[in-house]
Amino acid sequence: MMKGSWLYLAVFALAYLGLASLAYGMERHHKQLTRAHGSSVLAALKRLTPVAAWGWLIAALHLAISLEGAGPGSVLWLGNLTAAAMMLALLLTYAPGLARRLAMVSLPLIVLGMLVAYWA
């Protein structure tokens, strides 16, 4: 995989993680993603995740713009955002456990993509 490919994958993973974090903060999707476990730790995280979600989405936009420039980068970000939203919506409907696992895998994938792109 080429250096740029890892960064494009990181843009998608950041977009997916941001949208999954936004979903985690919503009451309806929070129950889907946590299997309705109502612990106080999860409730506290639920209030913090929308802030982190916007951070992930802004990081995806910044990475996309740094890859392609302002115009094409914002289009790249919107495309990745759309693909991630469609994937998350389908997974929340049919396989919420897989949506949760993919969100957990996204962060190591982002770090791996950045490290490989840095050393390639």
Side-chain angles (χ1 to χ4, degrees):
M1 216 176 207
M2 296 173 23
K3 176 181 177 180
S5 302
W6 283 100
L7 291 176
Y8 289 111
L9 184 63
V11 170
F12 179 79
L14 281 167
Y16 182 83
L17 185 60
L19 292 174
S21 298
L22 279 177
Y24 188 82
M26 299 169 74
E27 188 67 36
R28 177 179 178 186
H29 300 305
H30 181 81
K31 289 178 183 173
Q32 288 176 305
L33 291 171
T34 60
R35 298 182 194 160
H37 294 299
S39 75
S40 60
V41 174
L42 292 178
L45 284 175
K46 185 177 138 187
R47 287 188 293 268
L48 295 176
T49 52
V51 176
W54 285 108
W56 296 121
L57 293 175
I58 290 170
L61 176 62
H62 177 73
L63 183 58
I65 288 176
S66 68
L67 279 172
E68 296 289 336
S74 58
V75 172
L76 173 70
W77 179 70
L78 286 173
N80 277 295
L81 206 58
T82 303
M86 290 177 61
M87 184 174 162
L88 182 62
L90 287 173
L91 287 175
L92 283 175
T93 303
Y94 297 109
L98 184 57
R100 180 182 56 249
R101 285 190 292 272
L102 280 177
M104 287 192 271
V105 168
S106 293
L107 189 57
L109 192 62
I110 293 164
V111 172
L112 178 68
M114 296 291 188
L115 289 175
V116 169
Y118 179 75
W119 277 305

